[in-house]
Amino acid sequence: MGASSSSLLDESKISYIRGRTEAELKNFSPHYRRQSCVAFFCHLKDEVEQHRVGQAQLLKQKESPQASEVLYKDSMLYFDDNRKWKERFVVVRADHSLELHDSQESYTKGTPARNKLLPTGGTVLTSEEKYTAVVDKAFPDPNSSKEEPSVPMVAVPGPLPVYLRLPYRRDSYFCFQQEEKRARFVSILNDCIRHQNQDYLKSMECEVQAFLKAIHFYRQEKGHYESWDMLVGTDCQVLANLVMEELLPSLQTELLPKLKGKKPERKRVWFVTVEAAYEFVHEQLREGLESLKNECREATKQQEALIRSDMDQIINSQTFLETKLQALVSEPAVKYCSESVAPYLTSILEELMGPVSAGFQAVRLLLEDELTRLCKDFPQGGVTEELQSALQQVGRDRMEDCYQHVNVLKEQLQELRNRFKFSNSTRVVHGTQSQMQQLMENAVYTFELLLQSALKDKPDKQASVMEKAKLRVLKQFDYDSSTVRKKIFQETLVDITLPAIKRNLAPVCKTELQNFEQFVFADYTNFVQVENVYENILLNLLNNEVNKVVKEAASLKKNNLFADSTDLQCVSQSSLADSRTPPLSAPSSPVPVSQQAEQKITSPSRGSVSELTCDATVIPTVKITPSSPEPTSPLNVPETTQPALPDDSSPIPEISVTEVSSTKPETISSAEDSSSQPETPPSKAKDEVTEGSSVSTDRAVYLSSTAEETPVIASETLNVKADEESESLSPPIKEESVRIVQPEVLPDLRVEDSAVGASVCDEHVVEDIKACEAVPSSEAQDSPAVDGCPPLDPVPEGLVEGAVALTSDPENEPDPQEESADSVQGIRDLIMEVIEIEDVVRPCAENQP
């Protein structure tokens, strides 16, 4: 590449840049080769162990559009390469690049674009004063103190300019006559910057992960532990930024004194020179990096057979090395983390939570407003093209207002620069805004899917179907918002504090790491790297502290976070009318609490939940019947008069949760076990239910919070009853405080399930029920007991009749193969019944605007 006439690069300078670029690539290559093998091994390990990538959410995510799909197009004034303002037709593709066409006619004819702009790492400014200040900061003028105040580099012909400041590249300038058009363009331009910065680096492909780790260790080798603000774009762009960061100081020293003329002209020449150097570096790195990646691809292919055959041995070698490193790392790491990191996590989290939660709440309000408008504008007619077009425009013009809530983090997080040397607040802001945008798109797409599915069955009830779909989407949005925000908090806290831990431990531990290579078998050194295991130990240590802080914040209602939602694996129902729960999915609404009582028996006195164990040889019969009040029974709780069941047109009742004192057996033994093994003590029975505790999920809190808004119409007590054979083996029953679920209206159900062993153990059903558990134990202890319930006397023998019984009758036991399908269907129908009830429930009070 020859020197540009408008730059200061001659052949000697180009030769110098070429040499520096080759040296950087040569020093970087060993890191990439090592991390390529490690990343490939991790990929195969996850493939063998079938690890799920990412965390399940309720809202459906639409497939990414084709790169050629058009997201935006409009005409505007553009400052072109000839330094003249020209009318250009700008087209934004789904790959978030900007195409500049001569006119709309040339674009329609298919003429190639005059210019293609990638705004990676860019900053959008709409004020001439702010743009001039940014440019002056990037131009290290040695004579600035002797100069007059800065003058604009470009004279804008209109009242509404847009400046796109790009690192190491020429800036771009646009101009508008209408504020609405400029606001729309600024919004789409910011979207392009966020996606160009992060989309490639968020990929889970082996090559991307290997490159990120290689850059990470390469910068640490030079003493840079902090988060890097130029880690944006593709691998080649990131590496070019790294080279320019090293190259720029020498260029400033050699070339700036040679600049002549007025300040605007000196600025122009300097920035053109930097752009020419960047283009030369980028082109040279593109060829060298591609050659390096091809080399690593061939090497990993040759090692695949060894990895697959010796997978267990490699994992054991890695575990052994980790054990050895723990002895070196644990003590100083724990000491520094407890003294210099953990005390500050709560305050940092408080700084994060305010703006982030405000941004997501603004998105929810916008979503609710837009869906309400759609329900009014399209009361009839099905999912038409007009409705689909309206759905595509939901939130597009108003999301920028939601993003503004998060922008304040750029200033708030600046205080962390002194203690933790954290300066990459832009990455936090852009990552949060991308999640907000993705959540809005998921909600709109889920709403469309629900309408399409439900209107097939009820085409004449579009108004009610749309309202029901809106309520469901809003509640799913609340759950996903909580999950996403907690992930943002966790990742940001680690990003801020982990570099400080590594920097502090480096003088003590880094020099010792090479001594641990002897603990790795020679054939596996490519797949087990000491530096990776060392950093994983530090990361796990910090994650434990961060998770404690985030969970504590989630327990406070003011933060509008659901407790323990990160442990759930739920997916959304795609239909409002489907009466079955699809396999490998959990219901989008809470499981009926009566069904939870079948699955888990809890006790506030202990902090764990013990599930019913499943035995293929024991198939008890489950009978679910509402208990009737019996004054002589110490297990019965007084009931109010039960009203008649409402018809379909009646309002669907709420479900309330109260706490009463009751007694229950410690274990429930199968009758078949007791008959076949009479000499076995009750404590050794096969089917045993140990004492548990009330646990919480987000959705259980949802129902309990909404249920408080309506009075309780009726209450029923669910008790456990053993048959005559199991009564003789029942252990003494002790008095405990348990949570009793009192549905307002519960139909008289009798479910004969002869295959509980199969159905309860069924993987899909267990996943469904795991996703929805009881109210948290902390809330259980705070909730008052029901008035008018005196202390209950212990029952000396067996259980009292008139209760729900888990019994086993070997003589009348049906064939499990014949009844298994019916039992699973019965449980799923019960799940869907409460899903339909929950559809009309409003979002919980803590999530309402």
Side-chain angles (χ1 to χ4, degrees):
M1 172 182 173
S4 172
S5 59
S6 58
S7 72
L8 302 177
L9 297 182
D10 53 19
E11 291 298 330
S12 61
K13 295 296 184 299
I14 292 176
S15 178
Y16 171 74
I17 294 173
R18 181 186 294 109
R20 290 291 300 268
T21 304
E22 291 176 351
E24 290 288 343
L25 184 60
K26 182 179 179 181
N27 295 334
F28 170 77
S29 296
H31 293 278
Y32 184 81
R33 291 188 182 97
R34 288 196 297 269
Q35 296 307 317
S36 176
C37 293
V38 174
F40 186 68
F41 164 72
C42 293
H43 169 71
L44 294 183
K45 178 184 175 183
D46 290 343
E47 179 183 296
V48 171
E49 297 179 354
Q50 297 182 350
H51 288 172
R52 294 184 178 180
V53 179
Q55 187 170 18
Q57 296 182 4
L58 297 181
L59 296 171
K60 299 292 186 181
Q61 183 171 345
K62 191 175 183 179
E63 293 183 1
S64 301
Q66 297 293 329
S68 59
E69 183 176 329
V70 176
L71 302 180
Y72 169 90
K73 53 185 178 181
D74 199 3
S75 296
M76 63 195 71
L77 289 175
Y78 174 73
F79 194 71
D80 64 4
D81 296 339
N82 297 325
R83 301 184 57 79
K84 294 182 180 180
W85 288 94
K86 297 287 185 179
E87 185 82 13
R88 293 286 182 254
F89 189 72
V90 178
V91 177
V92 176
R93 302 284 183 180
D95 62 354
H96 299 96
S97 62
L98 281 72
E99 295 179 356
L100 304 176
H101 295 264
D102 290 335
S103 64
Q104 185 173 1
E105 290 75 17
S106 64
Y107 163 74
T108 305
K109 294 178 180 179
T111 305
R114 173 181 288 271
N115 191 15
K116 186 174 183 178
L117 181 62
L118 298 177
T120 310
T123 303
V124 180
L125 302 137
T126 57
S127 167
E128 182 180 287
E129 293 78 11
K130 292 182 179 180
Y131 172 72
T132 303
V134 171
V135 170
D136 288 343
K137 186 177 180 179
F139 177 61
D141 188 2
N143 301 321
S144 59
S145 59
K146 303 177 183 179
E147 293 279 356
E148 297 180 356
S150 299
V151 297
M153 293 184 62
V154 176
V156 182
L160 302 173
V162 174
Y163 304 93
L164 178 61
R165 171 69 185 146
L166 297 173
Y168 309 128
R169 287 164 291 161
R170 191 178 313 176
D171 297 343
S172 296
Y173 310 95
F174 307 88
C175 188
F176 294 84
Q177 301 296 328
Q178 299 176 2
E179 179 60 37
E180 294 79 8
K181 286 191 173 185
R182 184 176 75 164
R184 176 62 179 145
F185 179 71
V186 168
S187 177
I188 198 70
L189 193 55
N190 281 322
D191 285 348
C192 291
I193 293 173
R194 284 192 295 270
H195 285 279
Q196 286 283 336
N197 286 355
Q198 300 178 348
D199 281 0
Y200 176 83
L201 301 177
K202 288 191 296 185
S203 172
M204 299 305 297
E205 294 182 0
C206 291
E207 289 185 352
V208 178
Q209 295 302 307
F211 176 80
L212 289 175
K213 280 292 185 181
I215 284 288
H216 173 75
F217 287 118
Y218 183 52
R219 296 190 73 249
Q220 283 191 12
E221 192 179 66
K222 298 182 178 183
H224 303 300
Y225 292 89
E226 67 281 355
S227 178
W228 188 32
D229 56 354
M230 290 306 294
L231 189 65
V232 294
T234 63
D235 50 4
C236 190
Q237 290 173 325
V238 171
L239 203 55
N241 293 339
L242 184 65
V243 174
M244 290 299 296
E245 191 175 64
E246 300 289 334
L247 185 63
L248 203 58
S250 60
L251 290 179
Q252 292 175 355
T253 302
E254 294 182 16
L255 300 182
L256 279 178
K258 299 179 181 180
L259 295 176
K260 305 297 181 182
K262 295 183 179 180
K263 188 173 183 178
E265 181 62 20
R266 295 202 307 273
K267 283 182 182 180
R268 187 189 68 79
V269 174
W270 169 249
F271 289 130
V272 168
T273 302
V274 171
E275 181 185 25
Y278 175 83
E279 289 180 351
F280 180 78
V281 169
H282 186 275
E283 183 64 23
Q284 188 174 355
L285 286 174
R286 187 180 63 81
E287 299 176 0
L289 188 59
E290 187 62 31
S291 175
L292 177 62
K293 290 195 291 186
N294 289 332
E295 173 191 336
C296 292
R297 290 189 193 110
E298 293 298 325
T300 52
K301 285 181 181 179
Q302 296 175 3
Q303 295 170 335
E304 182 174 0
L306 175 63
I307 294 175
R308 292 189 180 276
S309 62
D310 294 3
M311 177 72 70
D312 292 340
Q313 291 88 331
I314 298 174
I315 295 175
N316 291 337
S317 178
Q318 188 177 42
T319 304
F320 180 74
L321 174 62
E322 184 176 353
T323 303
K324 293 293 184 180
L325 279 174
Q326 286 278 5
L328 172 71
V329 175
S330 293
E331 184 177 352
V334 170
K335 185 176 183 295
Y336 181 81
C337 187
S338 60
E339 294 177 356
S340 304
V341 174
Y344 301 96
L345 291 177
T346 302
S347 59
I348 298 174
L349 181 60
E350 288 293 330
E351 293 293 327
L352 287 171
M353 292 185 71
V356 172
S357 296
F360 278 90
Q361 180 64 14
V363 175
R364 188 194 190 280
L365 293 174
L366 174 60
L367 174 65
E368 184 175 11
D369 182 55
E370 293 284 350
L371 293 183
T372 301
R373 179 182 58 82
L374 289 177
C375 292
K376 292 180 180 179
D377 293 347
F378 300 90
Q380 296 177 355
V383 185
T384 60
E385 293 182 1
E386 291 78 8
L387 176 57
Q388 290 180 336
S389 177
L391 286 170
Q392 292 177 358
Q393 299 299 322
V394 168
R396 285 195 173 183
D397 298 332
R398 299 168 60 184
M399 284 295 290
E400 196 66 29
D401 296 335
C402 303
Y403 297 148
Q404 295 302 320
H405 292 279
V406 187
N407 284 334
V408 298
L409 284 176
K410 292 181 180 179
E411 299 177 1
Q412 289 185 205
L413 297 180
Q414 290 301 318
E415 299 178 2
L416 300 172
R417 185 185 295 271
N418 295 332
R419 177 170 295 278
F420 295 105
K421 296 185 179 180
F422 179 77
S423 59
N424 196 6
S425 56
T426 301
R427 179 181 176 183
V428 179
V429 171
H430 284 179
T432 302
Q433 291 173 343
S434 296
Q435 293 284 6
M436 293 163 61
Q437 182 187 36
Q438 185 65 59
L439 210 54
M440 170 63 85
E441 293 176 357
N442 292 351
V444 174
Y445 180 62
T446 304
F447 180 77
E448 182 179 359
L449 289 181
L450 289 172
L451 288 186
Q452 292 175 349
S453 178
L455 290 177
K456 292 179 181 178
D457 300 329
K458 300 178 181 179
D460 56 337
K461 296 183 179 180
Q462 175 159 326
S464 62
V465 167
M466 292 184 72
E467 185 66 23
K468 183 183 289 187
K470 183 188 79 171
L471 294 175
R472 173 171 290 187
V473 166
L474 289 175
K475 282 186 287 185
Q476 292 175 350
F477 180 95
D478 291 334
Y479 172 81
D480 285 1
S481 170
S482 173
T483 303
V484 169
R485 279 180 287 142
K486 281 192 284 190
K487 183 179 179 182
I488 291 173
F489 299 148
Q490 290 167 340
E491 291 179 348
T492 304
L493 288 176
V494 170
D495 198 29
I496 292 172
T497 57
L498 183 58
I501 298 176
K502 291 189 291 187
R503 186 185 302 110
N504 180 267
L505 266 62
V508 179
C509 300
K510 274 289 187 179
T511 56
E512 301 291 333
L513 291 183
Q514 59 183 359
N515 298 329
F516 287 84
E517 294 178 357
Q518 60 181 324
F519 297 111
V520 183
F521 190 61
D523 291 345
Y524 306 147
T525 52
N526 289 333
F527 320 119
V528 181
Q529 294 292 324
V530 176
E531 56 188 0
N532 291 72
V533 177
Y534 166 75
E535 294 216 345
N536 285 339
I537 294 174
L538 298 182
L539 179 60
N540 292 334
L541 175 69
L542 179 59
N543 273 331
N544 292 335
E545 297 295 331
V546 168
N547 291 339
K548 291 177 185 177
V549 175
V550 175
K551 287 183 178 179
E552 182 180 353
S555 65
L556 304 177
K557 290 186 177 181
K558 68 175 184 178
N559 294 327
N560 197 23
L561 292 172
F562 294 147
D564 297 331
S565 63
T566 54
D567 299 328
L568 298 179
Q569 293 190 4
C570 306
V571 293
S572 171
Q573 296 291 333
S574 60
S575 172
L576 292 176
D578 191 3
S579 61
R580 294 179 59 87
T581 301
L584 295 178
S585 67
S588 58
S589 302
V591 171
V593 191
S594 59
Q595 186 171 338
Q596 297 177 23
E598 294 178 25
Q599 297 296 319
K600 298 182 180 180
I601 298 178
T602 61
S603 169
S605 62
R606 305 185 74 177
S608 62
V609 176
S610 179
E611 299 183 12
L612 290 174
T613 57
C614 301
D615 191 346
T617 62
V618 180
I619 309 177
T621 301
V622 177
K623 299 178 181 179
I624 304 178
T625 57
S627 61
S628 59
E630 293 185 18
T632 60
S633 173
L635 286 180
N636 287 331
V637 178
E639 292 182 328
T640 58
T641 304
Q642 180 173 341
L645 295 176
D647 56 17
D648 295 339
S649 61
S650 302
I652 298 178
E654 305 286 352
I655 297 177
S656 62
V657 179
T658 59
E659 184 178 77
V660 300
S661 178
S662 178
T663 60
K664 63 183 179 68
E666 290 182 354
T667 60
I668 299 176
S669 302
S670 168
E672 183 173 333
D673 290 342
S674 62
S675 61
S676 61
Q677 301 176 359
E679 71 281 2
T680 305
S683 60
K684 295 182 180 180
K686 271 191 175 182
D687 292 350
E688 180 178 72
V689 180
T690 61
E691 296 176 8
S693 65
S694 300
V695 294
S696 167
T697 63
D698 305 340
R699 297 170 179 163
V701 176
Y702 248 163
L703 283 181
S704 60
S705 62
T706 54
E708 293 173 1
E709 300 177 2
T710 58
V712 177
I713 300 176
S715 65
E716 293 181 1
T717 304
L718 301 180
N719 299 316
V720 181
K721 173 187 176 181
D723 62 5
E724 296 178 356
E725 295 180 0
S726 61
E727 283 181 3
S728 60
L729 296 179
S730 297
I733 302 173
K734 62 182 182 180
E735 182 173 343
E736 294 178 343
S737 175
V738 300
R739 296 191 56 84
I740 303 299
V741 181
Q742 298 180 344
E744 292 180 357
V745 178
L746 184 66
D748 189 0
L749 298 178
R750 180 179 178 86
V751 179
E752 295 291 341
D753 189 349
S754 62
V756 172
S759 63
V760 175
C761 292
D762 183 81
E763 179 185 356
H764 309 323
V765 178
V766 170
E767 287 186 1
D768 290 344
I769 297 173
K770 272 188 175 182
C772 308
E773 301 174 350
V775 179
S777 56
S778 58
E779 296 184 10
Q781 296 172 358
D782 297 336
S783 59
V786 175
D787 296 334
C789 293
L792 302 179
D793 297 330
V795 180
E797 292 285 339
L799 296 174
V800 181
E801 297 183 0
V804 178
L806 293 175
T807 64
S808 178
D809 189 356
E811 296 179 358
N812 300 324
E813 191 177 76
D815 186 1
Q817 295 181 354
E818 296 177 358
E819 298 294 333
S820 178
D822 294 338
S823 64
V824 175
Q825 179 61 35
I827 292 176
R828 290 176 173 170
D829 289 343
L830 194 57
I831 293 172
M832 294 309 301
E833 182 178 346
V834 172
I835 290 177
E836 294 299 325
I837 293 175
E838 193 256 353
D839 283 335
V840 299
V841 179
R842 293 176 300 165
C844 60
E846 65 186 32
N847 292 308
Q848 288 182 355

